[in-house]
C-alpha cells in the first residue's frame, strides 16, 4: 500500500474493527499519518496489539471515534432528504454480482484514482 499511495496514505479509517484491519490501516500510513478507528474492537480484538513501534517511530496519530449520536440522526436524515448530503458521491462504481469478483480482484491493485465505494447489487 505504501507504493500504491506514493509513500503511504495521509489518513486511514477502519470501520470493521478487527486486529488485522486496524494493523493493515496503520501500516499503510505515511509518516505523521492519522488513523481513525471507527469499527468497534470487540471480543478478542478489544485487546488486540497494534504496531506501536511504527506508530511512535513514524509519529502516527491514532484517533478513536464512536460515530454519530442517535440524537443527530434527524438532522442527518433531513440533509439526505433535502439533497445537501449526497452519499452517491462516495460511490465509485456499481456492479452486479457477476462483476463483483472482478471488482474484488481490482482491489488487490489499488490505483491513485480508485477511491470510492464499489457497490454490488443483484
Amino acid at each position: 500500500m505504501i507504493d500504491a499511495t506514493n509513500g503511504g496514505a495521509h489518513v486511514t479509517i477502519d470501520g470493521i474493527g478487527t486486529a488485522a484491519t486496524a494493523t493493515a490501516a496503520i501500516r499503510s500510513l505515511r509518516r505523521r499519518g492519522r488513523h481513525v478507528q471507527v469499527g468497534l474492537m470487540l471480543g478478542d480484538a478489544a485487546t488486540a496489539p497494534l504496531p506501536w513501534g511504527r506508530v511512535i517511530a513514524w509519529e502516527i496519530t491514532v484517533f478513536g471515534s464512536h460515530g454519530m449520536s442517535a440524537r443527530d440522526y434527524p438532522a442527518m436524515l433531513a440533509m439526505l432528504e433535502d439533497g445537501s448530503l449526497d452519499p452517491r458521491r462516495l460511490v465509485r462504481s456499481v456492479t452486479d454480482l457477476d462483476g463483483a469478483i472482478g471488482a474484488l480482484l481490482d482491489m488487490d491493485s489499488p490505483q491513485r484514482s480508485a477511491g470510492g465505494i464499489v457497490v454490488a447489487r443483484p
Side-chain angles (χ1 to χ4, degrees), residues 49-69:
L50 293 175
W52 291 109
R54 168 75 67 99
V55 170
I56 293 165
W58 286 29
E59 297 180 315
I60 291 171
T61 303
V62 178
F63 295 96
S65 178
H66 188 266
M68 178 183 237
S69 172

Side-chain angles (χ1 to χ4, degrees), residues 76-97:
M76 179 197 61
L77 294 171
M79 291 172 70
L80 286 166
E81 190 172 273
D82 72 19
S84 61
L85 180 62
D86 184 7
R88 292 175 297 191
R89 293 179 58 200
L90 299 172
V91 177
R92 177 171 47 100
S93 64
V94 177
T95 184
D96 59 16
L97 291 178

Side-chain angles (χ1 to χ4, degrees), residues 1-115:
M1 183 57 104
I2 297 292
D3 292 336
T5 56
N6 196 24
H10 291 274
V11 177
T12 57
I13 300 172
D14 173 20
I16 296 174
T18 68
T21 55
T23 296
I26 288 171
R27 290 196 180 282
S28 65
L29 286 166
R30 65 181 55 231
R31 291 181 182 276
R32 295 194 163 186
R34 295 170 302 203
H35 173 69
V36 182
Q37 187 62 45
V38 179
L40 292 175
M41 306 289 277
L42 301 174
D44 291 340
T47 57
L50 293 175
W52 291 109
R54 168 75 67 99
V55 170
I56 293 165
W58 286 29
E59 297 180 315
I60 291 171
T61 303
V62 178
F63 295 96
S65 178
H66 188 266
M68 178 183 237
S69 172
R71 72 170 187 251
D72 295 326
Y73 287 3
M76 179 197 61
L77 294 171
M79 291 172 70
L80 286 166
E81 190 172 273
D82 72 19
S84 61
L85 180 62
D86 184 7
R88 292 175 297 191
R89 293 179 58 200
L90 299 172
V91 177
R92 177 171 47 100
S93 64
V94 177
T95 184
D96 59 16
L97 291 178
D98 291 332
I101 293 173
L104 287 171
L105 291 172
D106 287 344
M107 290 179 193
D108 285 340
S109 303
Q111 299 171 12
R112 253 177 250 195
S113 62

